[in-house]
Amino acid sequence: MLIKVAGSGCSKCQYTIELIDKLARAAGVAVDIDKVTGADEIQRLGATSTPAVFVDGVLVHSGGIPTHEAVAGWFDAEVPGFLKGPTRHLFFTGKGGVGKTSLSTATALRLADAGKKVLLVSTDAASNLDEMLGIELRNIATPVPGVAGLSVLNIDPDNAAESYRQRVLVQMDADATETERATVREQLSGACTTEIASFDEFAALLSGDAGAYDHIVFDTAPTGHTLRLLSLPQAWSGFLAGNDRGASCLGPHSGLKMQEVRFKAALDALSDPGQTTVILVARADKSAIAEAARTSEELRTLGLNNQRLIINGVFHASDPTDAVACAIAALGQQALDAMPQVLQTLPQDQVPLRAFDTVGLPALRALLATHAAPSASAGKASSAADQHLPGLDVLADELAATGHGLIMVMGKGGVGKTTVAAALALGLVERGKTVHLSTTDPAAHLVGTLEGEVPGLRVDRIDPKVETQRYIDRMMASKSPGLNDQEQALLLEDLRSPCTEEVAVFHAFSKIVNEARSAFVVLDTAPTGHSLLLMDAAGAYHRQTLRDFEGHRSGRMTTPLMRLQDATYTRIILVTLPEITPVSQAAALQDDLRRASIEPYAWVINKSVLAAGTHDPLLAARLAGERKQMTRMAGGLAARSFIVPWRTRPPIGLAELSKLVNHQAGKEDA
């Protein structure tokens, strides 16, 4: 919205400008305020007295300072339903890539601009809040420059775990040796400690440690990890209620039992509809809506019944001759029309697709604004610049030529990892290979993506509940012989602690990694943050194995981490969308992998509208950003890149997936 304030520059004019800016931010409306002080220009505009205000060229006020009510009326901002009487705790959750971070941040800004004191918390290990807000995320509340009343906090797993380890070490006896301290530190270096330490900080926010804030807005990790997080208050409360010894799996002197009151308070806060609202975020997309429906039902079983639904990025085509734009709009409407009943009963808001990336305060404030005008059209798109990038058919050829190995598909949630993993697995089978396709993602979309069975392709998942029970059974079988009934009961009690799940999942992951010695294994990984925790577990296991193996000169020792570091054994495929946030997160993931001496094999740019071709004004306005990201990747960020154009038919089912990796069909229907 363009606003011109005409006047001599007196104090009344300046106050008018400040008032407009303040109320525009409170309404979430993006404004560009232009001061006009020249007498000739004021006369040309038609102002007879000053201060005079023009909104998008229309004179709306002349003479004196406008009232608050008048200025608010210019914006005519319809407050989204989820911001009408918001509860103290607001959780944004949903499938990766649906816009949780953008919407949670825009919400926190709106509340802060309205005069509230707000804490924005990220529970995602791969959060990009730092890029959106232009500040460094820390594990302590940090004020956001330019936004009075807003602070941001990142529950960083590594920092949380280190802080937890230090608290445990402080409780050790003063005469403990360095060797004993080192042993305890190593015991507390695994994924179990990382999870419980992160949860401990999360529980503190819910149980009263953030009492200075009016609202706490949680930007959560993708659904599977978030459900795990939200279930922990109940899980740990139940575990501790029958355990007088604390949780031994967390190391000696953990004192976890002392946190029981905090966990109970966190559980009470989550289940209180007067304190907590869970906002399910989805796109107008079949899989995103289906996951939101599953999440809604699972949250109800946890006692979190105060739920709302936001459909983000709703798109309406403006040119009936644009096949790509019309297909995008039609698919979105079909998904909305088929919305499950469990979601239809929820209060719902829709946020339209914007022509801009939600990076920076102006863009974030405009996200929820009524008058967020699209950027100037970028003109008719051309895919000529992208013809040099090969497709998945070429990548499948390269992978098949290696004979066997582990192919790990990684990236931010919502970028299409499952689609790429399923297509590559199918491409390998079509090239005469036998393939095991699995996933570490708790959300597990593989079966729904394939929609069929293929000879030579075995499909399964690492199911946390199944693997946990298998792990418990193995431990009981190996350790319980020789124990009396009471000792066996205590062992079983420890194994039923919530942290056992992380250990069990890692063991299942290690088994799959080893399968690639003689066959192809394609692994669809969980979104970035959860996958990095799995990598941390691999590192901890590697270090422990090296210590245990030290002094044994016979035989050869190979850990899962060593398999991942072997470029002839493991090929990491990073999947991204041609947008600033997914590309930045893929780059950060690449840096994390390199620090672990793991080098990605290639990047896949998925759902490129630029490569598909469109001249819809809104989509065309977004293509300048897509070109910029492709240039960024080509400039050295990605050593090798492959591209998947946005398709008018979703790549779901064997036939459509096959087109992505088939040399002939892959060129059609883009």
Side-chain angles (χ1 to χ4, degrees):
M1 179 184 291
L2 176 61
I3 297 180
K4 291 187 177 183
V5 179
S8 62
C10 65
S11 59
K12 290 183 179 181
C13 296
Q14 186 59 37
Y15 182 83
T16 298
I17 291 171
E18 293 173 357
L19 179 62
I20 292 171
D21 180 65
K22 176 183 177 181
L23 295 184
R25 288 190 289 109
V29 177
V31 295
D32 184 4
I33 303 176
D34 183 14
K35 293 186 290 185
V36 180
T37 57
D40 292 343
E41 179 65 9
I42 292 174
Q43 185 177 10
R44 188 190 67 77
L45 288 172
T48 56
S49 59
T50 60
V53 181
F54 297 81
V55 176
D56 292 333
V58 178
L59 179 65
V60 296
H61 174 80
S62 180
I65 298 174
T67 66
H68 281 63
E69 291 75 13
V71 175
W74 300 339
F75 304 130
D76 190 28
E78 176 64 27
V79 177
F82 63 90
L83 280 172
K84 294 178 180 178
T87 55
R88 184 164 188 267
H89 306 129
L90 297 171
F91 280 89
F92 286 78
T93 188
K95 187 176 187 293
V98 295
K100 299 182 299 296
T101 299
S102 298
L103 288 170
S104 60
T105 306
T107 297
L109 278 170
R110 178 72 73 92
L111 292 171
D113 286 340
K116 302 295 184 181
K117 193 167 184 183
V118 183
L119 179 63
L120 176 60
V121 181
S122 172
T123 66
D124 189 351
S127 174
N128 64 311
L129 270 176
D130 51 353
E131 185 171 29
M132 284 189 171
L133 294 172
I135 63 172
E136 180 181 356
L137 289 182
R138 304 173 63 190
N139 62 339
I140 60 173
T142 304
V144 177
V147 188
L150 177 61
S151 296
V152 61
L153 165 67
N154 181 41
I155 298 181
D156 180 85
D158 291 335
N159 287 335
E162 179 57 28
S163 176
Y164 185 85
R165 281 189 288 269
Q166 291 300 330
R167 291 200 301 272
V168 173
L169 290 170
V170 165
Q171 296 178 49
M172 291 187 68
D173 294 335
D175 57 353
T177 68
E178 285 303 315
T179 300
E180 290 171 335
R181 291 179 180 276
T183 299
V184 171
R185 173 175 283 279
E186 183 57 37
Q187 288 176 336
L188 296 174
S189 65
C192 173
T193 300
T194 300
E195 177 181 80
I196 190 58
S198 297
F199 168 66
D200 192 40
E201 294 194 10
F202 166 71
L205 294 173
L206 292 172
S207 60
D209 282 14
Y213 297 94
D214 299 307
H215 296 282
I216 307 175
V217 180
F218 290 89
D219 167 37
T220 70
T223 308
H225 207 182
T226 297
L227 286 171
R228 168 78 172 159
L229 180 71
L230 295 179
S231 70
L232 285 175
Q234 190 176 87
W236 278 111
S237 294
F239 177 72
L240 293 175
N243 187 332
D244 294 328
R245 301 170 298 106
S248 63
C249 67
L250 300 180
H253 311 288
S254 66
L256 185 60
K257 187 73 175 179
M258 297 173 62
Q259 306 301 323
E260 188 171 5
V261 173
R262 173 183 288 180
F263 295 169
K264 177 65 166 57
L267 179 60
D268 291 343
L270 283 173
S271 56
D272 182 357
Q275 294 190 59
T276 300
T277 304
V278 178
I279 299 173
L280 302 166
V281 183
R283 294 269 183 177
D285 170 81
K286 179 181 176 182
S287 64
I289 288 176
E291 181 157 327
R294 288 192 298 270
T295 303
S296 176
E297 293 174 339
E298 290 196 47
L299 289 172
R300 291 182 191 279
T301 65
L302 296 174
L304 279 70
N305 298 311
N306 188 17
Q307 303 174 18
R308 296 189 64 94
L309 175 67
I310 296 179
I311 304 296
N312 189 30
V314 177
F315 172 70
H316 300 285
S318 59
D319 185 346
T321 67
D322 191 322
V324 172
C326 289
I328 292 175
L331 286 172
Q333 190 57 51
Q334 290 170 17
L336 293 177
D337 292 342
M339 183 180 294
Q341 184 64 32
V342 67
L343 294 183
Q344 291 183 30
T345 61
L346 296 180
Q348 181 187 139
D349 295 284
Q350 291 192 1
V351 176
L353 180 69
R354 302 304 190 187
F356 48 82
D357 285 321
T358 50
V359 175
L361 296 180
L364 288 164
R365 284 186 168 116
L367 178 60
L368 299 178
T370 307
H371 303 281
S375 306
S377 174
K380 185 174 181 178
S382 170
S383 60
D386 310 302
Q387 293 301 313
H388 65 285
L389 289 180
L392 289 187
D393 53 338
V394 177
L395 178 56
D397 286 342
E398 291 185 11
L399 295 173
T402 63
H404 68 89
L406 173 66
I407 300 165
M408 289 186 67
V409 183
M410 304 182 72
K412 173 180 163 61
V415 297
K417 295 186 303 298
T418 300
T419 297
V420 172
L424 290 175
L426 189 60
L428 290 171
V429 170
E430 291 177 351
R431 287 158 176 77
K433 309 300 180 181
T434 299
V435 181
H436 178 192
L437 174 62
S438 189
T439 180
T440 65
D441 191 348
H445 301 294
L446 276 178
V447 174
T449 299
L450 287 165
E451 290 188 343
E453 297 181 358
V454 178
L457 178 62
R458 177 163 64 98
V459 182
D460 60 21
R461 60 175 292 216
I462 297 178
D463 186 313
K465 291 183 173 58
V466 172
E467 298 302 335
T468 299
Q469 189 57 51
R470 287 176 180 168
Y471 180 80
I472 290 174
D473 292 342
R474 287 199 307 271
M475 292 298 100
M476 289 299 295
S478 65
K479 294 186 176 182
S480 62
L483 300 180
N484 60 37
D485 290 345
Q486 183 179 8
E487 290 169 335
Q488 289 188 26
L490 291 174
L491 174 61
L492 182 60
E493 184 180 352
D494 270 359
L495 288 172
R496 283 177 175 165
S497 75
C499 73
T500 298
E501 181 178 304
E502 295 293 335
V503 178
V505 167
F506 172 70
H507 277 268
F509 166 72
S510 300
K511 182 179 178 182
I512 284 182
V513 169
N514 286 332
E515 285 184 26
R517 289 179 294 176
S518 57
F520 275 108
V521 175
V522 178
L523 195 59
D524 167 36
T525 69
T528 304
H530 208 178
S531 292
L532 288 177
L533 292 178
L534 192 60
M535 293 295 184
D536 287 343
Y541 178 81
H542 173 77
R543 292 188 296 273
Q544 181 63 50
T545 302
L546 290 181
R547 277 193 298 273
D548 294 344
F549 195 77
E550 188 176 359
H552 298 274
R553 299 189 178 276
S554 61
R556 183 174 181 272
M557 179 271 300
T558 304
T559 67
L561 180 62
M562 294 167 69
R563 298 283 192 200
L564 300 179
Q565 293 170 335
D566 183 353
T568 65
Y569 189 96
T570 300
R571 288 165 180 81
I572 304 289
I573 310 297
L574 297 184
V575 183
T576 185
L577 301 178
E579 301 170 9
I580 183 171
T581 296
V583 171
S584 294
Q585 289 208 332
L589 172 57
Q590 181 168 256
D591 289 341
D592 284 327
L593 291 171
R594 285 173 172 169
R595 280 192 285 273
S597 299
I598 301 171
E599 183 64 29
Y601 179 77
W603 287 44
V604 171
I605 305 165
N606 193 28
K607 294 184 179 180
S608 171
V609 178
L610 181 61
T614 179
H615 51 267
D616 179 89
L618 178 57
L619 295 180
R622 294 179 61 88
L623 294 187
E626 187 168 324
R627 291 189 182 95
K628 182 178 180 180
Q629 296 310 312
M630 288 187 175
T631 299
R632 178 183 174 191
M633 286 182 276
L637 188 58
R640 306 171 70 253
S641 296
F642 299 82
I643 196 166
V644 180
W646 195 93
R647 305 178 71 82
T648 55
R649 287 199 292 271
I652 297 175
L654 299 175
E656 294 301 322
L657 287 169
S658 180
K659 292 179 180 180
L660 296 180
V661 289
N662 184 289
H663 292 293
Q664 298 303 319
K667 309 306 178 188
E668 303 169 1
D669 189 39

